[in-house]
Amino acid sequence: MNPAEVATALVIEETLGDRGSYRKVDDRLYVIKQGSCYVMINIVPWEKDRALIRCVAQLVKGVKMSGELAEQLLHLNSQLRFGAFAWDPADELILFIHSILGGATLDRDELIATLTDVALIADEYDDRIIKKYGGQTMRELLEEAALDRMLDADPDRFFGGAEA
């Protein structure tokens, strides 16, 4: 990692560590949870000596994009103070994304404001989108995956074999 990425990681860890509400996935990726959404905080190298922080919340998966939904998301984008809704057609996924400059000039208050806004917007709008257009929240998808994993698990592994 370049020095700006290292400085960015330190500010993220110091800022989030005070709150105890994050998980470090690897050197450049952190996750926080807010209600039914998760915000991924990714440190992105920029040139040789800079870094960006890209905050991405996955709001709704499995929603079909329509003209009405696209128009509503674009209208919301024009009303927000920062960040934007986005569409990933490959995964039928609505995202909320915002990036800020990392490195030595990264301000804790700016980081907190960014993470708070991204998390609150995502948590507010995932339910609204699902109610009108369908799909699932990220929390629902993770819970389903965990349940599937438990149901598919080998029961002998938990009970020490088939001995009676």
Side-chain angles (χ1 to χ4, degrees):
M1 290 192 349
N2 72 40
E5 292 172 89
V6 171
T8 301
L10 288 173
V11 172
I12 289 170
E13 291 175 22
E14 288 171 0
T15 302
L16 296 179
D18 292 345
R19 291 160 170 51
S21 60
Y22 79 101
R23 171 165 285 185
K24 183 176 181 176
V25 177
D26 66 31
D27 288 342
R28 290 187 177 97
L29 182 63
Y30 304 83
V31 177
I32 59 172
K33 182 181 183 303
Q34 171 68 40
S36 58
C37 77
Y38 294 84
V39 178
M40 293 169 285
I41 306 156
N42 190 17
I43 301 170
V44 181
W46 179 26
E47 298 178 352
K48 293 186 288 187
D49 58 350
R50 296 184 183 181
L52 293 173
I53 298 175
R54 185 167 175 89
C55 301
V56 178
Q58 297 180 346
L59 276 68
V60 179
K61 184 170 176 64
V63 65
K64 300 290 183 198
M65 182 54 68
S66 67
E68 180 185 7
L69 176 56
E71 187 175 312
Q72 286 184 349
L73 294 175
L74 286 171
H75 176 73
L76 287 169
N77 284 347
S78 73
Q79 303 298 309
L80 298 167
R81 67 179 171 168
F82 58 68
F85 290 94
W87 168 247
D88 175 359
D91 290 324
E92 296 182 326
L93 183 63
I94 295 176
L95 309 160
F96 187 76
I97 301 170
H98 183 65
S99 298
I100 59 175
L101 186 61
T105 61
L106 178 59
D107 180 79
R108 261 179 91 129
D109 292 336
E110 180 184 14
L111 177 61
I112 291 169
T114 297
L115 296 175
T116 300
D117 275 12
V118 169
L120 291 175
I121 288 168
D123 190 39
E124 172 72 23
Y125 282 97
D126 62 354
D127 295 326
R128 290 184 185 194
I129 292 166
I130 288 169
K131 184 176 181 180
K132 190 165 184 177
Y133 300 101
Q136 291 181 290
T137 65
M138 291 303 108
R139 186 184 71 209
E140 292 169 337
L141 290 167
L142 290 171
E143 287 171 356
E144 271 184 22
L147 183 59
D148 287 347
R149 223 173 314 138
M150 286 174 34
L151 295 175
D152 289 342
D154 180 4
D156 291 339
R157 185 181 78 176
F158 294 108
F159 300 110
E163 299 173 16

mmCIF file with all atom_site columns, all heavy atoms in Angstrom, residues 74-87:
data_model
loop_
_atom_site.group_PDB
_atom_site.id
_atom_site.type_symbol
_atom_site.label_atom_id
_atom_site.label_alt_id
_atom_site.label_comp_id
_atom_site.label_asym_id
_atom_site.label_entity_id
_atom_site.label_seq_id
_atom_site.pdbx_PDB_ins_code
_atom_site.Cartn_x
_atom_site.Cartn_y
_atom_site.Cartn_z
_atom_site.occupancy
_atom_site.B_iso_or_equiv
_atom_site.pdbx_formal_charge
_atom_site.auth_seq_id
_atom_site.auth_comp_id
_atom_site.auth_asym_id
_atom_site.auth_atom_id
_atom_site.pdbx_PDB_model_num
ATOM 1   N N   . LEU A 1 74 ? -32.985 8.916  -10.387 1.00 0.00 ? 74 LEU A N   1
ATOM 2   C CA  . LEU A 1 74 ? -32.318 10.113 -10.916 1.00 0.00 ? 74 LEU A CA  1
ATOM 3   C C   . LEU A 1 74 ? -32.821 11.375 -10.218 1.00 0.00 ? 74 LEU A C   1
ATOM 4   O O   . LEU A 1 74 ? -32.041 12.287 -9.913  1.00 0.00 ? 74 LEU A O   1
ATOM 5   C CB  . LEU A 1 74 ? -32.531 10.218 -12.423 1.00 0.00 ? 74 LEU A CB  1
ATOM 6   C CG  . LEU A 1 74 ? -31.714 9.229  -13.256 1.00 0.00 ? 74 LEU A CG  1
ATOM 7   C CD1 . LEU A 1 74 ? -32.165 9.260  -14.710 1.00 0.00 ? 74 LEU A CD1 1
ATOM 8   C CD2 . LEU A 1 74 ? -30.236 9.521  -13.140 1.00 0.00 ? 74 LEU A CD2 1
ATOM 9   N N   . HIS A 1 75 ? -34.102 11.428 -9.951  1.00 0.00 ? 75 HIS A N   1
ATOM 10  C CA  . HIS A 1 75 ? -34.651 12.587 -9.236  1.00 0.00 ? 75 HIS A CA  1
ATOM 11  C C   . HIS A 1 75 ? -34.044 12.658 -7.825  1.00 0.00 ? 75 HIS A C   1
ATOM 12  O O   . HIS A 1 75 ? -33.653 13.743 -7.372  1.00 0.00 ? 75 HIS A O   1
ATOM 13  C CB  . HIS A 1 75 ? -36.177 12.510 -9.170  1.00 0.00 ? 75 HIS A CB  1
ATOM 14  C CG  . HIS A 1 75 ? -36.775 13.630 -8.376  1.00 0.00 ? 75 HIS A CG  1
ATOM 15  N ND1 . HIS A 1 75 ? -36.832 14.927 -8.845  1.00 0.00 ? 75 HIS A ND1 1
ATOM 16  C CD2 . HIS A 1 75 ? -37.306 13.651 -7.130  1.00 0.00 ? 75 HIS A CD2 1
ATOM 17  C CE1 . HIS A 1 75 ? -37.375 15.699 -7.929  1.00 0.00 ? 75 HIS A CE1 1
ATOM 18  N NE2 . HIS A 1 75 ? -37.677 14.948 -6.868  1.00 0.00 ? 75 HIS A NE2 1
ATOM 19  N N   . LEU A 1 76 ? -33.984 11.528 -7.147  1.00 0.00 ? 76 LEU A N   1
ATOM 20  C CA  . LEU A 1 76 ? -33.365 11.508 -5.821  1.00 0.00 ? 76 LEU A CA  1
ATOM 21  C C   . LEU A 1 76 ? -31.913 11.964 -5.881  1.00 0.00 ? 76 LEU A C   1
ATOM 22  O O   . LEU A 1 76 ? -31.453 12.706 -5.008  1.00 0.00 ? 76 LEU A O   1
ATOM 23  C CB  . LEU A 1 76 ? -33.452 10.101 -5.211  1.00 0.00 ? 76 LEU A CB  1
ATOM 24  C CG  . LEU A 1 76 ? -34.821 9.661  -4.728  1.00 0.00 ? 76 LEU A CG  1
ATOM 25  C CD1 . LEU A 1 76 ? -34.818 8.171  -4.407  1.00 0.00 ? 76 LEU A CD1 1
ATOM 26  C CD2 . LEU A 1 76 ? -35.259 10.473 -3.518  1.00 0.00 ? 76 LEU A CD2 1
ATOM 27  N N   . ASN A 1 77 ? -31.183 11.527 -6.901  1.00 0.00 ? 77 ASN A N   1
ATOM 28  C CA  . ASN A 1 77 ? -29.783 11.946 -7.056  1.00 0.00 ? 77 ASN A CA  1
ATOM 29  C C   . ASN A 1 77 ? -29.669 13.466 -7.098  1.00 0.00 ? 77 ASN A C   1
ATOM 30  O O   . ASN A 1 77 ? -28.720 14.044 -6.571  1.00 0.00 ? 77 ASN A O   1
ATOM 31  C CB  . ASN A 1 77 ? -29.157 11.333 -8.308  1.00 0.00 ? 77 ASN A CB  1
ATOM 32  C CG  . ASN A 1 77 ? -28.801 9.875  -8.131  1.00 0.00 ? 77 ASN A CG  1
ATOM 33  O OD1 . ASN A 1 77 ? -28.789 9.351  -7.017  1.00 0.00 ? 77 ASN A OD1 1
ATOM 34  N ND2 . ASN A 1 77 ? -28.518 9.206  -9.236  1.00 0.00 ? 77 ASN A ND2 1
ATOM 35  N N   . SER A 1 78 ? -30.635 14.120 -7.739  1.00 0.00 ? 78 SER A N   1
ATOM 36  C CA  . SER A 1 78 ? -30.579 15.579 -7.854  1.00 0.00 ? 78 SER A CA  1
ATOM 37  C C   . SER A 1 78 ? -30.904 16.280 -6.541  1.00 0.00 ? 78 SER A C   1
ATOM 38  O O   . SER A 1 78 ? -30.599 17.456 -6.374  1.00 0.00 ? 78 SER A O   1
ATOM 39  C CB  . SER A 1 78 ? -31.528 16.067 -8.959  1.00 0.00 ? 78 SER A CB  1
ATOM 40  O OG  . SER A 1 78 ? -32.880 15.955 -8.530  1.00 0.00 ? 78 SER A OG  1
ATOM 41  N N   . GLN A 1 79 ? -31.511 15.568 -5.594  1.00 0.00 ? 79 GLN A N   1
ATOM 42  C CA  . GLN A 1 79 ? -31.907 16.154 -4.319  1.00 0.00 ? 79 GLN A CA  1
ATOM 43  C C   . GLN A 1 79 ? -30.890 15.927 -3.196  1.00 0.00 ? 79 GLN A C   1
ATOM 44  O O   . GLN A 1 79 ? -30.938 16.615 -2.183  1.00 0.00 ? 79 GLN A O   1
ATOM 45  C CB  . GLN A 1 79 ? -33.252 15.555 -3.871  1.00 0.00 ? 79 GLN A CB  1
ATOM 46  C CG  . GLN A 1 79 ? -34.375 15.722 -4.877  1.00 0.00 ? 79 GLN A CG  1
ATOM 47  C CD  . GLN A 1 79 ? -34.697 17.172 -5.147  1.00 0.00 ? 79 GLN A CD  1
ATOM 48  O OE1 . GLN A 1 79 ? -34.896 17.938 -4.214  1.00 0.00 ? 79 GLN A OE1 1
ATOM 49  N NE2 . GLN A 1 79 ? -34.722 17.560 -6.409  1.00 0.00 ? 79 GLN A NE2 1
ATOM 50  N N   . LEU A 1 80 ? -29.981 14.985 -3.378  1.00 0.00 ? 80 LEU A N   1
ATOM 51  C CA  . LEU A 1 80 ? -29.034 14.622 -2.322  1.00 0.00 ? 80 LEU A CA  1
ATOM 52  C C   . LEU A 1 80 ? -27.887 15.617 -2.242  1.00 0.00 ? 80 LEU A C   1
ATOM 53  O O   . LEU A 1 80 ? -27.459 16.168 -3.254  1.00 0.00 ? 80 LEU A O   1
ATOM 54  C CB  . LEU A 1 80 ? -28.473 13.224 -2.592  1.00 0.00 ? 80 LEU A CB  1
ATOM 55  C CG  . LEU A 1 80 ? -29.506 12.101 -2.597  1.00 0.00 ? 80 LEU A CG  1
ATOM 56  C CD1 . LEU A 1 80 ? -28.905 10.836 -3.180  1.00 0.00 ? 80 LEU A CD1 1
ATOM 57  C CD2 . LEU A 1 80 ? -30.030 11.853 -1.193  1.00 0.00 ? 80 LEU A CD2 1
ATOM 58  N N   . ARG A 1 81 ? -27.346 15.797 -1.031  1.00 0.00 ? 81 ARG A N   1
ATOM 59  C CA  . ARG A 1 81 ? -26.203 16.711 -0.917  1.00 0.00 ? 81 ARG A CA  1
ATOM 60  C C   . ARG A 1 81 ? -24.929 16.086 -1.448  1.00 0.00 ? 81 ARG A C   1
ATOM 61  O O   . ARG A 1 81 ? -24.031 16.779 -1.897  1.00 0.00 ? 81 ARG A O   1
ATOM 62  C CB  . ARG A 1 81 ? -26.033 17.213 0.500   1.00 0.00 ? 81 ARG A CB  1
ATOM 63  C CG  . ARG A 1 81 ? -25.632 16.187 1.519   1.00 0.00 ? 81 ARG A CG  1
ATOM 64  C CD  . ARG A 1 81 ? -25.473 16.839 2.868   1.00 0.00 ? 81 ARG A CD  1
ATOM 65  N NE  . ARG A 1 81 ? -25.308 15.814 3.875   1.00 0.00 ? 81 ARG A NE  1
ATOM 66  C CZ  . ARG A 1 81 ? -24.923 16.073 5.090   1.00 0.00 ? 81 ARG A CZ  1
ATOM 67  N NH1 . ARG A 1 81 ? -24.670 17.304 5.442   1.00 0.00 ? 81 ARG A NH1 1
ATOM 68  N NH2 . ARG A 1 81 ? -24.799 15.100 5.956   1.00 0.00 ? 81 ARG A NH2 1
ATOM 69  N N   . PHE A 1 82 ? -24.816 14.770 -1.374  1.00 0.00 ? 82 PHE A N   1
ATOM 70  C CA  . PHE A 1 82 ? -23.739 14.054 -2.050  1.00 0.00 ? 82 PHE A CA  1
ATOM 71  C C   . PHE A 1 82 ? -24.108 12.601 -2.173  1.00 0.00 ? 82 PHE A C   1
ATOM 72  O O   . PHE A 1 82 ? -25.070 12.132 -1.582  1.00 0.00 ? 82 PHE A O   1
ATOM 73  C CB  . PHE A 1 82 ? -22.371 14.245 -1.386  1.00 0.00 ? 82 PHE A CB  1
ATOM 74  C CG  . PHE A 1 82 ? -22.284 13.827 0.064   1.00 0.00 ? 82 PHE A CG  1
ATOM 75  C CD1 . PHE A 1 82 ? -22.378 12.507 0.459   1.00 0.00 ? 82 PHE A CD1 1
ATOM 76  C CD2 . PHE A 1 82 ? -22.067 14.776 1.041   1.00 0.00 ? 82 PHE A CD2 1
ATOM 77  C CE1 . PHE A 1 82 ? -22.258 12.133 1.791   1.00 0.00 ? 82 PHE A CE1 1
ATOM 78  C CE2 . PHE A 1 82 ? -21.947 14.414 2.378   1.00 0.00 ? 82 PHE A CE2 1
ATOM 79  C CZ  . PHE A 1 82 ? -22.054 13.092 2.750   1.00 0.00 ? 82 PHE A CZ  1
ATOM 80  N N   . GLY A 1 83 ? -23.334 11.856 -2.968  1.00 0.00 ? 83 GLY A N   1
ATOM 81  C CA  . GLY A 1 83 ? -23.634 10.453 -3.213  1.00 0.00 ? 83 GLY A CA  1
ATOM 82  C C   . GLY A 1 83 ? -24.651 10.317 -4.325  1.00 0.00 ? 83 GLY A C   1
ATOM 83  O O   . GLY A 1 83 ? -25.278 11.292 -4.744  1.00 0.00 ? 83 GLY A O   1
ATOM 84  N N   . ALA A 1 84 ? -24.801 9.079  -4.807  1.00 0.00 ? 84 ALA A N   1
ATOM 85  C CA  . ALA A 1 84 ? -25.746 8.838  -5.898  1.00 0.00 ? 84 ALA A CA  1
ATOM 86  C C   . ALA A 1 84 ? -26.195 7.384  -5.896  1.00 0.00 ? 84 ALA A C   1
ATOM 87  O O   . ALA A 1 84 ? -25.440 6.486  -5.529  1.00 0.00 ? 84 ALA A O   1
ATOM 88  C CB  . ALA A 1 84 ? -25.088 9.167  -7.237  1.00 0.00 ? 84 ALA A CB  1
ATOM 89  N N   . PHE A 1 85 ? -27.435 7.195  -6.325  1.00 0.00 ? 85 PHE A N   1
ATOM 90  C CA  . PHE A 1 85 ? -27.940 5.854  -6.556  1.00 0.00 ? 85 PHE A CA  1
ATOM 91  C C   . PHE A 1 85 ? -27.367 5.353  -7.868  1.00 0.00 ? 85 PHE A C   1
ATOM 92  O O   . PHE A 1 85 ? -27.139 6.138  -8.798  1.00 0.00 ? 85 PHE A O   1
ATOM 93  C CB  . PHE A 1 85 ? -29.475 5.853  -6.623  1.00 0.00 ? 85 PHE A CB  1
ATOM 94  C CG  . PHE A 1 85 ? -30.118 6.118  -5.299  1.00 0.00 ? 85 PHE A CG  1
ATOM 95  C CD1 . PHE A 1 85 ? -30.496 7.396  -4.937  1.00 0.00 ? 85 PHE A CD1 1
ATOM 96  C CD2 . PHE A 1 85 ? -30.341 5.082  -4.399  1.00 0.00 ? 85 PHE A CD2 1
ATOM 97  C CE1 . PHE A 1 85 ? -31.088 7.647  -3.711  1.00 0.00 ? 85 PHE A CE1 1
ATOM 98  C CE2 . PHE A 1 85 ? -30.937 5.322  -3.171  1.00 0.00 ? 85 PHE A CE2 1
ATOM 99  C CZ  . PHE A 1 85 ? -31.313 6.617  -2.829  1.00 0.00 ? 85 PHE A CZ  1
ATOM 100 N N   . ALA A 1 86 ? -27.129 4.056  -7.946  1.00 0.00 ? 86 ALA A N   1
ATOM 101 C CA  . ALA A 1 86 ? -26.574 3.450  -9.159  1.00 0.00 ? 86 ALA A CA  1
ATOM 102 C C   . ALA A 1 86 ? -27.266 2.113  -9.392  1.00 0.00 ? 86 ALA A C   1
ATOM 103 O O   . ALA A 1 86 ? -27.881 1.541  -8.495  1.00 0.00 ? 86 ALA A O   1
ATOM 104 C CB  . ALA A 1 86 ? -25.065 3.251  -9.006  1.00 0.00 ? 86 ALA A CB  1
ATOM 105 N N   . TRP A 1 87 ? -27.110 1.592  -10.603 1.00 0.00 ? 87 TRP A N   1
ATOM 106 C CA  . TRP A 1 87 ? -27.756 0.350  -11.016 1.00 0.00 ? 87 TRP A CA  1
ATOM 107 C C   . TRP A 1 87 ? -26.710 -0.582 -11.592 1.00 0.00 ? 87 TRP A C   1
ATOM 108 O O   . TRP A 1 87 ? -25.928 -0.182 -12.473 1.00 0.00 ? 87 TRP A O   1
ATOM 109 C CB  . TRP A 1 87 ? -28.829 0.659  -12.051 1.00 0.00 ? 87 TRP A CB  1
ATOM 110 C CG  . TRP A 1 87 ? -29.390 -0.515 -12.779 1.00 0.00 ? 87 TRP A CG  1
ATOM 111 C CD1 . TRP A 1 87 ? -29.231 -0.795 -14.109 1.00 0.00 ? 87 TRP A CD1 1
ATOM 112 C CD2 . TRP A 1 87 ? -30.201 -1.565 -12.250 1.00 0.00 ? 87 TRP A CD2 1
ATOM 113 N NE1 . TRP A 1 87 ? -29.897 -1.953 -14.427 1.00 0.00 ? 87 TRP A NE1 1
ATOM 114 C CE2 . TRP A 1 87 ? -30.504 -2.449 -13.303 1.00 0.00 ? 87 TRP A CE2 1
ATOM 115 C CE3 . TRP A 1 87 ? -30.702 -1.853 -10.990 1.00 0.00 ? 87 TRP A CE3 1
ATOM 116 C CZ2 . TRP A 1 87 ? -31.266 -3.589 -13.130 1.00 0.00 ? 87 TRP A CZ2 1
ATOM 117 C CZ3 . TRP A 1 87 ? -31.470 -2.985 -10.813 1.00 0.00 ? 87 TRP A CZ3 1
ATOM 118 C CH2 . TRP A 1 87 ? -31.752 -3.834 -11.875 1.00 0.00 ? 87 TRP A CH2 1
#
